[in-house]
Amino acid sequence: MNRKKAESVESKRIKELPVYIFHDINTRKLKLRREGVDVIDFGMGNPDRPAPKPVIDKLIEVALDSKAHRYSASKGISHLRREICGWYDRRFGVKLDPEEEAVVCIGSKEGISHLALAVFDKGDNVLVPNPTYPSHLYSTVIAGAKICDMPLTKENGFIPDFAKIDCRSPRKPKAMILCYPNNPTAQVVDLDFFKEAVKFAKKNNLFIIHDLAYSELCFDGYRAPSFLQVPGAKDVGVEFYSLSKTYNMAGWRVGFAVGNKNVIGALTKLKSYYDYGMFTPIQVASITALKLEQRYIDEVAAAYCRRRDVMVSGLNRIGWNVENPKATMYIWAEIPEKFRAMGSVKFSVHLLEKAGVAVSPGAGFGKYGEGYVRIALVENEQRIRQAVKSIRSIMQNA
């Protein structure tokens, strides 16, 4: 097939997707590594530690059962759905029906993307934070819906101001996407924010999709609430949770959605056409993860807290003033004044090529992310100190 014909096979929805802004930096990063450069990579939120040993042991145990290698269930095995609901009850005091209000996803990214296809039609308006995790944005775009930005800025504390959202247009928003603790800004909220969100959703007849991927990575006494803790929340929305960050199981691809039975039903129906669910041993091992003692979760959160402290104190010491986040595995860092004119993409390239340090440009998360970079705490303390030392050299020579 010649190049022209190869290009023509793309669907309209794929052709209309913008160029992935991280592509250039990822290409440069790979090139430097091939040249022998030791790149310290804070770009992707990819946990660097293994899953807990009991979880790995259970995976191995079940994988040795020949029956476990058959097709699974697209909505997730019943035992895992029951355990998911049990975890929500223990952690948040939220009661859920494992048959109608819970579905297992092949990671929350798959779940959110398929949910968009299940509930959005071409031309639907969807309120999406800006900046936001790219899948929140592109899953909506691929489904054919129209994005309505909810700016997250320093001025509004990186929290959407519902009073400034206009829902009086002829095509009112059908849904709103939220994510707290937030990726990429690391901002947190309390339960009162979700009460306001539920009130807003009911008033404007829209539903909420909340991404709770970082609920257990909290520091300094902060404890993240669930959107579903609000009375009436199940009437207007669903929540996604992932085992990726809490249990260092990113590559296992285990997530789930819980909440409103009609929305869960739509996702479950679509998934029945797309997949047979994840490998059964992974699902059984996920049950083990959800039953683990709290100390396993505390150890993961403590590791990120130590890394946060080293990174924040180190950057502030060399003149790059950054905030101390209360949750997530990220630091949302405003570009230092002397480099601000570069913009986030050029500054990220500058850090990579001059200091051997990779970060994610804020513009990659939306136009309101410009002026910032996201730093993922996925290297150990020694490597973080090494990175700070390298960054200091370019700060001094600017």
Side-chain angles (χ1 to χ4, degrees):
M1 182 180 291
N2 62 40
R3 183 176 178 180
K4 185 175 182 180
K5 287 183 178 179
E7 290 175 348
S8 69
V9 302
E10 289 185 350
S11 67
K12 184 178 179 181
R13 67 171 59 89
I14 293 299
K15 286 181 180 178
E16 291 179 349
L17 287 175
V19 175
Y20 194 52
I21 202 166
F22 300 115
H23 176 74
D24 180 50
I25 292 174
N26 290 337
T27 300
R28 290 172 185 262
K29 184 166 57 180
L30 180 60
K31 181 177 181 292
L32 287 172
R33 282 178 167 156
R34 285 174 174 169
E35 293 171 354
V37 177
D38 178 22
V39 175
I40 303 175
D41 195 351
F42 302 116
M44 185 179 181
N46 193 6
D48 61 316
R49 301 173 68 182
K53 188 176 183 301
V55 179
I56 297 172
D57 289 344
K58 178 58 69 171
L59 172 71
I60 294 170
E61 175 192 328
V62 181
L64 293 173
D65 181 352
S66 61
K67 294 180 181 179
H69 293 256
R70 306 175 72 182
Y71 287 130
S72 187
S74 64
K75 68 184 293 185
I77 60 175
S78 59
H79 284 74
L80 177 53
R81 285 184 280 109
R82 283 198 296 271
E83 191 56 43
I84 287 164
C85 295
W87 184 85
Y88 252 80
D89 191 9
R90 297 190 300 273
R91 172 66 174 85
F92 300 113
V94 173
K95 304 289 185 182
L96 294 160
D97 179 355
E99 291 303 315
E100 292 192 313
E101 297 176 337
V103 59
V104 179
C105 306
I106 308 174
S108 58
K109 184 176 182 179
E110 173 270 317
I112 291 170
S113 298
H114 278 157
L115 178 62
L117 291 175
V119 298
F120 298 147
D121 291 313
K122 185 175 179 60
D124 282 342
N125 288 335
V126 181
L127 295 165
V128 181
N130 190 330
T132 193
Y133 176 50
S135 284
H136 297 159
L137 172 64
Y138 295 123
S139 61
T140 305
V141 171
I142 291 170
K146 180 182 177 182
I147 301 297
C148 299
D149 284 334
M150 293 191 296
L152 305 185
T153 65
K154 182 164 63 173
E155 289 69 30
N156 63 24
F158 305 108
I159 297 172
D161 185 347
F162 296 132
K164 293 184 178 180
I165 299 174
D166 185 5
C167 292
R168 295 172 300 174
S169 63
R171 296 188 67 84
K172 294 182 177 180
K174 184 174 185 178
M176 174 170 59
I177 298 175
L178 296 172
C179 174
Y180 288 98
N182 187 259
N183 177 14
T185 71
Q187 182 58 272
V188 299
V189 296
D190 57 22
L191 196 59
D192 284 341
F193 169 78
F194 289 130
K195 289 178 181 178
E196 187 180 354
V198 170
K199 182 179 179 181
F200 179 84
K202 289 187 175 182
K203 177 182 177 181
N204 294 289
N205 193 30
L206 56 82
F207 64 89
I208 292 172
I209 300 168
H210 182 234
D211 187 350
L212 189 63
Y214 301 93
S215 70
E216 307 311 293
L217 302 187
C218 299
F219 323 121
D220 306 333
Y222 174 73
R223 190 117 164 113
S226 162
F227 153 74
L228 293 176
Q229 286 178 272
V230 178
K234 278 198 293 185
D235 297 335
V236 295
V238 295
E239 190 162 73
F240 282 87
Y241 183 72
S242 168
L243 273 59
S244 296
K245 308 304 192 293
T246 304
Y247 302 100
N248 293 323
M249 293 170 64
W252 297 52
R253 309 312 304 132
V254 184
F256 48 85
V258 293
N260 183 274
K261 66 179 183 179
N262 295 323
V263 179
I264 295 299
L267 175 56
T268 302
K269 182 177 181 179
L270 185 78
K271 281 175 62 64
S272 71
Y273 287 93
Y274 273 108
D275 70 73
Y276 285 113
M278 70 191 74
F279 189 35
T280 297
I282 291 178
Q283 296 195 57
V284 177
S286 297
I287 295 171
T288 297
L290 291 166
K291 288 182 174 180
L292 286 174
E293 298 173 20
Q294 183 63 34
R295 65 182 178 88
Y296 286 94
I297 297 174
D298 291 344
E299 286 172 6
V300 174
Y304 285 119
C305 187
R306 290 192 298 270
R307 294 176 182 188
R308 177 205 66 170
D309 291 345
V310 173
M311 180 67 83
V312 170
S313 62
L315 292 179
N316 282 312
R317 189 172 60 251
I318 65 174
W320 186 352
N321 298 320
V322 298
E323 298 292 330
N324 210 25
K326 291 184 179 180
T328 77
M329 58 196 295
Y330 307 115
I331 293 170
W332 188 237
E334 192 167 11
I335 299 172
E337 180 65 36
K338 62 181 70 175
F339 299 103
R340 205 156 292 167
M342 284 185 173
S344 61
V345 175
K346 288 185 178 179
F347 177 64
S348 297
V349 171
H350 185 66
L351 278 182
L352 178 61
E353 296 187 338
K354 301 300 182 182
V357 174
V359 298
S360 293
F365 302 97
K367 66 181 180 181
Y368 290 98
E370 185 53 84
Y372 291 81
V373 295
R374 192 193 71 176
I375 302 170
L377 302 170
V378 292
E379 297 268 11
N380 62 41
E381 291 98 312
Q382 181 181 347
R383 296 278 283 170
I384 291 173
R385 293 187 183 96
Q386 181 184 341
V388 170
K389 185 177 179 180
S390 297
I391 295 170
R392 181 179 61 189
S393 67
I394 70 168
M395 294 280 288
Q396 292 174 341
N397 295 328

